[in-house]
Amino acid sequence: MALLIHQFGIGSDNLGVLIHDPATGKTASIDAGEEAPIVAALHEKGWQLTDILVTHHHGDHIAALAALKTRFGARVVGPLADQHRIAGIDLPVSEGDHFSFGNIGFEVIETPGHTVGHVAFYCPSEAVLFAGDTMFSMGCGRLFEGTPQQMWSSLSKLAALPDATLLYCGHEYTLSNAHFALRFDAGNPALQKRVAEVEALRAKGDFTIPSTIGQEKATNPFLRAGEPALAAAVGLTGHPAGEVFAALREAKNKG
Ligand code: ZN
Ligand code: FE
C-alpha cells in the first residue's frame, strides 16, 4: 500500500484518521474534531500535517479545523456546498471532483442526507473510502438535514464501490448498530457472524473499523433495504427499497 492509515479515538466515540503518503511526506487528517488527540497522533507517527479533508460541518468533525490549519498551515479540502458554514476551505469540492493528496488521487462523492453538504472521499488506487457520518458499520448517519430518499441514494452510491473497498467512518457505533440490525435481520448468517466478531473486538477494546463495502452490503440493514427480509421486518413487503430504508431509519431514531 502506498498510503499509510492511522486510526485513533477522539472523545467518546469519534474516530480520528490520519493518512500519510510516504513518497511525498504528506499527511492528512480526515476531519478535525479535536486538536489534542490529532496532534498526539501526529507526534506518535512522526508525521507533519499538510492537509485536512472535511466531510461535513458538524462540530465533532470541524471544531479543531481553524486551530490545526493555523498551527500547521494545512490545506483544507471540503464541500463546496457547505463553504458558507465551514470556514477555511482552500479547495472546495463537489461530486466527481478529483484531487491529489501527494502522489495519490482522490475522488469526491457527494452524500447528502446526514447533512445536505456532506461529502465522502474515495481513493480508488488504494481501495479506501472515508465516509464520514454517511455510512457506519451496520448503520448510517441520522437525517439531520436531508430526506430519506437523498440518504438512500447516497448510501447506494457508496454501496456501488468495489466490495474490497475499506470503509472508514466518523464513529465507532458498531456494537449498538449490531444490536439494532439483529432486531430486523436476525436470520442473516453474515450478520450473526459479524456481530460475534464485533463483540469480541469491543471486549478487547479494539476498533471494529475499517469495515469493507462487501461486508456492509452483507450485514448493514440500511444497505439491505432492498431485501425481502428487511421489507417484511418493517411491514413493507413489496415496497421500494427507498421506503423500506426510510422505515428502518425511523425505527432507529426511536432507539
Ligand atoms: Zn455528523
Ligand atoms: Fe459525527
Side-chain angles (χ1 to χ4, degrees):
M1 259 198 155
L3 191 71
L4 303 179
I5 302 179
H6 175 60
Q7 181 176 247
F8 52 98
I10 298 181
S12 61
D13 54 49
N14 275 82
L15 291 168
V17 177
L18 295 176
I19 59 176
H20 180 73
D21 174 24
T24 59
K26 298 253 182 199
T27 301
S29 175
I30 311 299
D31 288 328
E34 234 182 271
E35 188 177 10
I38 294 172
V39 170
L42 286 162
H43 284 161
E44 187 191 328
K45 301 305 286 183
W47 296 344
Q48 186 76 15
L49 192 72
T50 55
D51 295 80
I52 304 170
L53 311 186
V54 180
T55 63
H56 68 294
H57 74 90
H58 285 158
D60 62 316
H61 299 257
I62 65 161
L65 187 54
L68 288 170
K69 182 176 175 164
T70 304
R71 184 167 179 160
F72 295 98
R75 171 185 74 158
V76 177
V77 181
L80 173 68
D82 268 353
Q83 229 181 342
H84 63 286
R85 54 183 177 176
I86 302 173
I89 294 178
D90 301 300
L91 181 64
V93 290
S94 50
E95 178 72 16
D97 281 355
H98 291 254
F99 65 92
S100 296
F101 163 71
N103 286 338
I104 298 167
F106 273 79
E107 207 176 295
V108 177
I109 304 174
E110 286 187 345
T111 56
H114 178 66
T115 68
V116 291
H118 198 295
V119 295
F121 297 101
Y122 174 50
C123 175
S125 64
E126 302 288 318
V128 185
L129 173 71
F130 301 99
D133 287 359
T134 298
M135 189 191 296
F136 301 125
S137 185
M138 291 182 274
C140 73
R142 260 177 199 270
L143 305 183
F144 285 110
E145 297 174 7
T147 65
Q149 279 306 327
Q150 276 179 316
M151 188 57 140
W152 173 245
S153 115
S154 295
L155 289 171
S156 301
K157 283 198 271 184
L158 301 185
L161 296 174
D163 281 358
T165 306
L166 290 176
L167 169 73
Y168 284 87
C169 57
H171 294 268
E172 175 61 69
Y173 288 155
T174 313
L175 189 57
S176 75
N177 287 342
H179 295 144
F180 174 80
L182 279 176
R183 280 171 49 202
F184 294 89
D185 199 17
N188 175 358
L191 177 62
Q192 294 159 4
K193 179 167 170 275
R194 172 70 171 151
V195 172
E197 277 168 18
V198 161
E199 281 172 345
L201 286 168
R202 295 310 288 156
K204 286 189 289 175
D206 289 346
F207 296 126
T208 63
I209 306 297
S211 179
T212 64
I213 290 296
Q215 176 155 260
E216 293 311 309
K217 277 158 63 183
T219 59
N220 189 321
F222 296 102
L223 300 189
R224 286 169 50 75
E227 296 293 320
L230 275 293
V234 291
L236 289 174
T237 294
H239 286 246
E243 277 179 41
V244 175
F245 168 77
L248 285 166
R249 189 54 260 182
E250 196 54 40
K252 183 76 161 64
N253 295 345
K254 291 178 182 138

